[in-house]
């Protein structure tokens, strides 16, 4: 069974104050509502499991595919908490956007609730 891509396959973390991409930011992934680590993948076929945390590249993004319901916790590279998003599942609502100048498909595979 294939995994569901997060927004346009790339998940982006941006600075909430400046809206600039955060290279080196960290995305920790957990089973929704818990602190139990959950796997994500770098491809839809689940051929390559991402590290947990997923480290954002120069554009502030990383390839993140999911299978199930998750809690995402975002940190800056210096381990300062940015935000926590619980109940991330397949759906139709986007909760982030790519860095400017990055080509991206429409965000149509995510529902995020309990964004803190």
């Amino acid at each position: 069974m294939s995994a569901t891509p997060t927004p346009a396959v790339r998940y982006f973390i941006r600075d909430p104050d400046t809206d600039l991409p955060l290279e080196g930011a960290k995305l920790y992934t957990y089973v929704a509502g818990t602190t139990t680590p959950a796997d994500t993948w770098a491809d839809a076929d689940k051929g390559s499991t991402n590290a947990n945390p997923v480290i954002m590249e120069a554009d502030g993004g990383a390839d993140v595919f999911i299978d199930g319901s998750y809690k995402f916790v975002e940190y800056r590279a210096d381990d300062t908490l940015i935000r926590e998003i619980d109940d991330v599942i397949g759906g139709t609502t986007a909760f982030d956007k790519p860095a400017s100048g990055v080509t991206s498909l429409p965000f149509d595979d995510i529902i995020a609730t309990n964004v803190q």
Side-chain angles (χ1 to χ4, degrees), residues 26-113:
K26 302 170 186 176
L27 172 66
Y28 287 86
T29 58
Y30 303 97
V31 174
T34 75
T35 57
T36 303
D39 285 340
T40 64
W41 297 269
D43 58 84
D45 293 327
K46 298 184 185 178
S48 179
T49 304
N50 287 326
N52 196 355
V54 179
I55 307 299
M56 299 299 115
E57 297 170 6
D59 66 352
D63 295 341
V64 179
F65 289 79
I66 60 175
D67 187 7
S69 185
Y70 288 75
K71 176 169 65 175
F72 286 177
V73 183
E74 301 174 349
Y75 286 89
R76 296 176 187 276
D78 67 3
D79 294 320
T80 304
L81 178 66
I82 298 171
R83 68 178 171 169
E84 188 174 298
I85 309 163
D86 209 349
D87 298 323
V88 177
I89 57 175
T92 58
T93 303
F95 53 82
D96 220 327
K97 60 185 177 180
S100 61
V102 175
T103 302
S104 180
L105 301 172
F107 300 143
D108 60 4
D109 290 318
I110 293 295
I111 288 177
T113 59

